[in-house]
Amino acid sequence: MLLRVHNLTKRFGKEEAVSSVSFDVNQGDYVAIIGPSGSGKTTLLSMLTGMLSPSEGDILYDQIKLSQISKQELAEIRARDLGLVFQFSELVGNLTIKENILLPALFTKKFSSDDYLRKCDYLIDHLKLGDIQNSLPRTLSGGQIQKAAIARSLINDPAILFADEPSGDLDPENSYLVQLLLNEYNKRNHSIILVTHDMKLAFDAQTVYEMKNGRFEQVIKGE
Ligand SMILES: Nc1ncnc2c1ncn2[C@@H]1O[C@H](COP(=O)(O)OP(=O)(O)OP(=O)(O)O)[C@@H](O)[C@H]1O
Ligand SMILES: [Mg+2]
């Protein structure tokens, strides 16, 4: 899946949070976005995932303009093709960790039940969530919730994973588990768009953009 972002701008009143951002993401690309607090990173990700409408500019998924599709089509694209990890992820309070991770499977039948259960066990194992898989979110730490949100975002094998500070609440050991998992998905040709203050995660990306005052500047292009 190809994502094309053209002159994307978001204003809140007179404040411009995102200013004329353009970039492309191809299948298998790993893009990191760094930059100071308040520079517009979360606002940008919210527009790319269809949760916030832009003031100006276009977002295209496989040449389809996000602004021209119905809410239903947007929901389908999001459920089937996009994985989302929010800066402050929330889980469903009356479901266990395992049930939360499997929740997206109810909305898209992309894989068989057996496959979903296998994928879920793999993610639980990899992120060391085994001991708490049957616990309810309110009994868990912020880091455990964040890891569960990461597992939930990957259960559908998304074409593009959007992750806003996925290691923000994690200690170095758990950040490393997340780093390994992201790299593994990327090797399997899933695209990743990552917002992070964690330079270890940003270092893995092929392209790093820095955001400052809503503007975008490419700082590294590997190859
Ligand atoms: N819903 C909103 N209404 C008004 N202003 C907003 C809204 N959301 C964000 N902003 C403003 O837009 C600017 C960018 O915010 P954003 O959350 O995108 O920053 P960020 O780069 O993600 O910061 P951080 O690293 O702290 O998460 C800030 O000045 C913020 O106050
Ligand atoms: Mg943010």
Side-chain angles (χ1 to χ4, degrees):
M1 169 172 266
L2 177 92
L3 166 66
R4 172 153 279 183
V5 179
H6 183 65
N7 276 344
L8 204 61
T9 297
K10 181 68 188 181
R11 281 182 287 273
F12 294 112
K14 273 187 285 178
E15 291 287 318
E16 206 160 272
V18 173
S19 300
S20 214
V21 166
S22 299
F23 68 112
D24 287 345
V25 178
N26 291 301
Q27 192 183 352
D29 281 357
Y30 189 160
V31 171
I33 301 167
I34 59 171
S37 211
S39 57
K41 306 179 300 294
T42 297
T43 305
L44 175 65
L45 239 53
S46 304
M47 290 192 282
L48 300 185
T49 52
M51 292 181 295
L52 183 70
S53 49
S55 306
E56 278 168 44
D58 291 313
I59 300 157
L60 293 96
Y61 281 102
D62 286 339
Q63 309 191 31
I64 302 166
K65 269 192 193 173
L66 219 52
S67 57
Q68 290 178 347
I69 63 175
S70 67
K71 279 210 169 104
Q72 171 75 21
E73 285 170 306
L74 173 62
E76 276 167 24
I77 289 183
R78 218 192 267 150
R80 193 187 56 233
D81 298 321
L82 310 184
L84 312 179
V85 181
F86 303 106
Q87 196 167 6
F88 306 103
S89 284
E90 284 185 7
L91 301 179
V92 178
N94 57 354
L95 298 181
T96 66
I97 292 304
K98 184 166 186 170
E99 289 164 346
N100 266 284
I101 295 171
L102 283 166
L103 195 57
L106 290 182
F107 300 104
T108 38
K109 300 270 181 285
K110 198 166 164 181
F111 304 107
S112 69
S113 312
D114 282 353
D115 280 348
Y116 274 122
L117 288 172
R118 227 184 343 263
K119 282 174 195 299
C120 185
D121 285 342
Y122 175 80
L123 290 164
I124 284 175
D125 197 40
H126 187 101
L127 291 171
K128 296 196 170 34
L129 290 166
D131 293 345
I132 53 146
Q133 61 179 312
N134 296 317
S135 304
L136 292 173
R138 66 169 176 277
T139 64
L140 301 176
S141 74
Q144 288 168 325
I145 298 225
Q146 193 161 30
K147 287 199 293 177
I150 292 165
R152 179 182 58 184
S153 75
L154 292 169
I155 193 79
N156 257 332
D157 273 353
I160 308 182
L161 174 71
F162 292 90
D164 197 347
E165 287 286 1
S167 61
D169 280 336
L170 301 180
D171 58 39
E173 192 184 327
N174 280 302
S175 293
Y176 183 59
L177 294 180
V178 170
Q179 184 181 14
L180 291 178
L181 194 61
L182 295 184
N183 278 319
E184 185 201 308
Y185 272 73
N186 182 237
K187 280 210 187 77
R188 290 202 271 129
N189 228 10
H190 298 272
S191 309
I192 298 176
I193 302 181
L194 172 80
V195 166
T196 190
H197 290 289
D198 184 342
M199 283 307 143
K200 283 202 221 62
L201 290 191
F203 191 74
D204 291 331
Q206 293 118 19
T207 310
V208 179
Y209 294 103
E210 183 171 21
M211 252 190 129
K212 271 188 193 161
N213 296 320
R215 295 196 176 276
F216 229 45
E217 202 175 302
Q218 186 170 311
V219 288
I220 302 173
K221 175 70 191 169
E223 210 74 335

